[in-house]
Amino acid sequence: MTRHITSDDVPALAAGAAIFGTGGGGAVTTSQFGVAAALDLHGPVRLRRVGELTPDDAVIVMAGIGAPTVGIEMLPSAEQPETLLREMERASGRRITAVMATEIGGTNGVGPVGWAAQLGLDVLDADGMGRAFPEATMVAMNVAGVPRNLTVLSDVVGNVTVMRTIDATWLERHVRAFSVAGGSLCLGASMLDAADVPGAVIEGTVSRAIEVGHAMLGAQDPVAALSRTLDASVLVNGKIVDVSRRTEGGFVRGSVTIAGTGAERDRLLRVELQNENLVVLEDGEVLVSVPDLVTLVDSETGHAISTELLRFGQRVSVLAWACDPLWRTERGLEIAGPPAFGYDIPYVPFEPGRTAPGAAGREGATTTSGATA
Amino acid sequence: MTRHITSDDVPALAAGAAIFGTGGGGAVTTSQFGVAAALDLHGPVRLRRVGELTPDDAVIVMAGIGAPTVGIEMLPSAEQPETLLREMERASGRRITAVMATEIGGTNGVGPVGWAAQLGLDVLDADGMGRAFPEATMVAMNVAGVPRNLTVLSDVVGNVTVMRTIDATWLERHVRAFSVAGGSLCLGASMLDAADVPGAVIEGTVSRAIEVGHAMLGAQDPVAALSRTLDASVLVNGKIVDVSRRTEGGFVRGSVTIAGTGAERDRLLRVELQNENLVVLEDGEVLVSVPDLVTLVDSETGHAISTELLRFGQRVSVLAWACDPLWRTERGLEIAGPPAFGYDIPYVPFEPGRTAPGAAGREGATTTSGATA
């Protein structure tokens, strides 16, 4: 059955995309309103599975690039998606048939649905990350080795540039320069030929975000619903007792400390972050790390809390779940494993439902603490 | 008679381009060697007059863009001119037949001859400034209102971008960002259709630079030869007694004070500069200002001294001559008159041979100084 996305799906898509944002990816509220309006104006958008692509299809992969804080206030121009599509078709010589989100996490998981509606294109039920990551190099297409040398960028006043870059590092560097010159936010696109799509994207993430959002928004116990739908562990229910956060080199960096409440009141978890939540520690042991997913949600509503909005006293639940298998390959971990973010720790795949190693360690530590203290 | 440029012409071209650099435009030595080598390898380049262009011709307008100091050490890649030509032909759909220098002044007046040799194209006997100016907006094409919305940029490692910008200010901003991200130097190109060339360039400046260079290099008295060939006034012969210079916002800014020697030993001139020499003052009166040309030359050799190499004790002659009439139009003065550089002074066209108003003022001041002191 062919699935369509209507404006009724947008609140669920936005809530789900925020969950997959793992603390980053930008606030979803601004784009949520724009996308709902675009769907009301242009009608529902067809959601196509990767398996439904034909050799004639070509996919434009789109994202807002820049400072998430700027994106909250500076609205995009309605012409930007059209400009990107026109220039990408001209530069590639291909007719584009579908839009894919570079990242499903955060605002960049919501916007592409509205752009597709405006452009009269389908949306591919997939994205390049299966979550949010801070850099343009951290995409499945790069893991799969699909060349992405062609990039089109458009700023809000109407300038547009078509770039051919020699590698992902230079792409990131020149894209960042254009974004900053254009007011610290631009819209960017690359292209995927239908033949290159299988194995180079994370499949099913748009419908998954909607499913997760629906489950959460309709639930009596949103955190339990999220845990069930995501196959995620609730690492702890607690309150934020410390936030150490600074803006550095264009990123939000720092850590947040969560003290357990109720039966978990002896526990203390620290979440390390760089835009996204990266590593969760308890008693010096790593419970979870990138590329596995960690999201802090409001314990009552289940809504994801992005890293820039964390503050003392918030009641939060820490959810963790397994990343797509693509990120657990050697190349995947090279690009987005702990060392890629400066952590000198080995990656241990997170298994939901498994007794958290830190929790076990904590109990052991409690048992022996009398003897060693 | 069709004129060709050979490697024998390069020393004169370089010396002449440095004179038209009016203190800026970058040191000519590095590109001088590269251009001579290119002409030896690929053979002489045909120099075409504007009047010889046919409707089928299209001109690629090229320049190095960035920090002149970086250009002294960082050599360009041999592939950059080919990349620009290929991308410009692809983006414009035109077959390019000739190269024109964006600015004849400094290294950017020399390089295009080598690029043309490498690309198998002609060189147009014209440029966009008739001198050197610091910003991409300050070109004859902009005075004439010829649209330059299409720009191609290439950095030294192999990245290339095709930009369409909404106006000259945004062009300058995005070009600067790409240049800085690419190591503070890139090669840039725009395009001129043959039909747009007349009235939108300064004609004859390549052969003029070679003529001026030849006159200077072969002369017993190089300063006198320059004055005669350029129809320039020697404002003063003297020595540098003070240099106030700082690097600010990517520009060299400051002033240099020259004390007359010999019969002129009572005179004191100040030259204000921003990369280029902008305004000459004597006893509080303006002797010359942009867009008219001011170049400080070594009093003995006649070689131009660029602003970053000015130092105490140098024996210099200050030459001044009239700019192209295009810069004296209302639109020309709006773009490159004194106020465009932050000077709140009216522009008075400089007439060579005219008694310098400052000199007259100075004599008056001397006469009355006893009474007023």
Side-chain angles (χ1 to χ4, degrees):
Chain A
M1 189 195 76
T2 305
R3 172 77 201 276
H4 285 82
I5 302 178
T6 71
S7 59
D8 290 343
D9 294 312
V10 175
L13 172 64
I19 294 289
F20 284 101
T22 66
V28 295
T29 35
T30 310
S31 62
Q32 180 175 343
F33 294 122
V35 170
L39 290 170
D40 282 337
L41 182 65
H42 301 286
V45 158
R46 186 154 73 116
L47 186 65
R48 282 172 83 183
R49 288 194 305 277
V50 169
E52 293 174 329
L53 291 176
T54 70
D56 287 340
D57 285 307
V59 181
I60 188 165
V61 184
M62 293 170 81
I65 300 159
T69 41
V70 172
I72 292 170
E73 294 201 333
M74 187 164 84
L75 296 177
S77 154
E79 288 165 19
Q80 285 179 272
E82 286 166 32
T83 302
L84 290 191
L85 178 65
R86 184 186 64 237
E87 294 296 331
M88 183 56 85
E89 290 192 330
R90 172 151 62 181
S92 67
R94 293 296 307 266
R95 200 174 69 80
I96 307 283
T97 54
V99 176
M100 184 181 91
T102 305
E103 59 181 349
I104 191 66
T107 183
N108 273 334
V110 186
V113 172
W115 303 328
Q118 183 188 346
L119 298 171
L121 300 177
D122 297 339
V123 163
L124 192 65
D125 193 2
D127 79 303
M129 297 183 180
R131 42 169 299 159
F133 277 129
E135 295 187 23
T137 57
M138 297 168 167
V139 286
M141 297 77 96
N142 195 10
V143 178
V146 172
R148 285 166 72 237
N149 59 329
L150 180 62
T151 307
V152 183
L153 302 169
S154 151
D155 71 12
V156 74
V157 300
N159 303 300
V160 59
T161 192
V162 180
M163 276 187 188
R164 289 172 201 273
T165 42
I166 57 168
D167 61 30
T169 307
W170 277 102
L171 169 66
E172 166 68 24
R173 187 167 174 164
H174 277 302
V175 164
R176 203 62 57 181
F178 182 90
S179 172
V180 170
S184 283
L185 196 60
C186 69
L187 201 61
S190 59
M191 203 203 71
L192 271 177
D193 200 276
D196 291 329
V197 170
V201 301
I202 315 287
E203 293 190 33
T205 49
V206 177
S207 51
R208 186 104 176 90
I210 295 172
E211 179 193 358
V212 167
H214 272 307
M216 182 195 109
L217 293 175
Q220 283 282 351
D221 182 344
V223 174
L226 283 172
S227 168
R228 200 167 49 242
T229 315
L230 290 166
D231 193 15
S233 294
V234 181
L235 294 184
V236 75
N237 295 293
K239 63 181 178 187
I240 294 179
V241 294
D242 193 44
V243 177
S244 161
R245 185 178 47 206
R246 58 199 184 281
T247 303
E248 192 181 275
F251 295 111
V252 174
R253 291 176 198 270
S255 66
V256 54
T257 308
I258 299 124
T261 45
E264 301 179 282
R265 68 180 173 279
D266 290 337
R267 300 183 60 197
L268 207 59
L269 271 69
R270 196 170 86 237
V271 181
E272 298 268 323
L273 49 94
Q274 178 193 331
N275 282 19
E276 283 77 33
N277 306 310
L278 299 179
V279 177
V280 185
L281 295 149
E282 183 172 20
D283 294 327
E285 278 193 66
V286 175
L287 300 192
V288 199
S289 80
V290 273
D292 289 323
L293 294 85
V294 176
T295 293
L296 276 66
V297 303
D298 182 301
S299 291
E300 235 166 279
T301 67
H303 278 291
I305 305 172
S306 55
T307 50
E308 73 273 18
L309 296 177
L310 296 168
R311 57 178 172 73
F312 178 85
Q314 279 169 326
R315 301 289 163 143
V316 298
S317 299
V318 182
L319 295 171
W321 67 105
C323 65
D324 188 271
L326 176 135
W327 290 116
R328 293 183 170 182
T329 61
E330 194 179 334
R331 175 78 177 144
L333 289 170
E334 192 183 305
I335 290 171
F341 294 89
Y343 291 96
D344 187 19
I345 54 172
Y347 169 68
V348 179
F350 180 76
E351 301 301 336
R354 185 188 62 182
T355 305
R362 179 188 58 80
E363 281 159 20
T366 308
T367 311
T368 57
S369 61
T372 57
Chain B
M1 190 194 77
T2 305
R3 171 79 201 274
H4 285 82
I5 302 178
T6 71
S7 59
D8 291 343
D9 294 313
V10 175
L13 172 63
I19 294 289
F20 284 101
T22 63
V28 295
T29 35
T30 310
S31 62
Q32 180 175 342
F33 295 122
V35 170
L39 290 170
D40 282 336
L41 182 65
H42 302 285
V45 159
R46 186 154 74 114
L47 186 65
R48 282 172 82 182
R49 288 194 305 276
V50 168
E52 293 173 328
L53 292 176
T54 71
D56 288 340
D57 285 307
V59 180
I60 188 165
V61 184
M62 293 170 81
I65 299 158
T69 40
V70 172
I72 292 171
E73 294 202 332
M74 188 164 85
L75 296 177
S77 154
E79 288 165 17
Q80 285 179 273
E82 286 166 31
T83 302
L84 290 190
L85 178 65
R86 185 186 64 237
E87 295 295 331
M88 182 56 85
E89 289 192 331
R90 172 150 64 179
S92 67
R94 292 297 306 265
R95 200 174 69 80
I96 307 284
T97 53
V99 176
M100 185 181 90
T102 305
E103 59 181 350
I104 192 64
T107 183
N108 273 334
V110 185
V113 172
W115 304 327
Q118 182 188 346
L119 299 171
L121 300 177
D122 297 339
V123 162
L124 192 66
D125 193 3
D127 79 303
M129 297 182 178
R131 44 168 298 159
F133 277 130
E135 295 187 23
T137 56
M138 297 167 167
V139 288
M141 297 76 96
N142 195 11
V143 178
V146 172
R148 285 167 70 238
N149 59 330
L150 180 62
T151 307
V152 183
L153 302 169
S154 152
D155 71 13
V156 74
V157 300
N159 302 300
V160 59
T161 193
V162 180
M163 276 186 188
R164 288 172 201 275
T165 43
I166 56 168
D167 60 29
T169 307
W170 278 103
L171 169 66
E172 166 67 24
R173 186 167 174 165
H174 277 300
V175 164
R176 203 61 56 181
F178 182 90
S179 172
V180 170
S184 282
L185 195 62
C186 69
L187 201 62
S190 59
M191 204 203 72
L192 271 178
D193 200 277
D196 290 330
V197 169
V201 301
I202 315 288
E203 293 189 33
T205 49
V206 177
S207 51
R208 185 102 176 91
I210 294 172
E211 179 194 357
V212 167
H214 272 308
M216 181 195 110
L217 293 174
Q220 284 282 351
D221 182 344
V223 174
L226 282 172
S227 168
R228 199 167 49 243
T229 314
L230 290 165
D231 193 15
S233 294
V234 180
L235 295 184
V236 76
N237 295 293
K239 62 180 178 186
I240 294 179
V241 293
D242 193 43
V243 177
S244 161
R245 184 177 49 206
R246 59 199 185 281
T247 303
E248 193 180 275
F251 295 111
V252 174
R253 290 175 198 269
S255 68
V256 55
T257 308
I258 300 124
T261 45
E264 301 178 281
R265 67 181 174 281
D266 290 338
R267 300 184 60 199
L268 207 59
L269 270 69
R270 195 169 87 239
V271 181
E272 299 268 324
L273 49 96
Q274 178 194 331
N275 282 17
E276 282 76 34
N277 306 310
L278 299 179
V279 176
V280 185
L281 295 149
E282 183 172 20
D283 294 327
E285 277 194 68
V286 175
L287 301 193
V288 198
S289 79
V290 274
D292 288 323
L293 294 85
V294 176
T295 293
L296 277 66
V297 303
D298 182 300
S299 290
E300 234 164 279
T301 67
H303 278 291
I305 304 172
S306 54
T307 49
E308 72 273 18
L309 297 177
L310 295 167
R311 56 178 172 73
F312 177 86
Q314 280 170 326
R315 301 289 164 144
V316 297
S317 299
V318 182
L319 295 171
W321 65 106
C323 66
D324 189 90
L326 175 134
W327 291 116
R328 294 183 170 183
T329 62
E330 194 178 334
R331 175 77 177 144
L333 289 170
E334 193 183 304
I335 290 171
F341 295 89
Y343 291 95
D344 187 19
I345 55 172
Y347 169 68
V348 180
F350 180 77
E351 301 301 337
R354 184 188 62 181
T355 306
R362 179 189 58 80
E363 281 159 21
T366 307
T367 310
T368 58
S369 63
T372 57

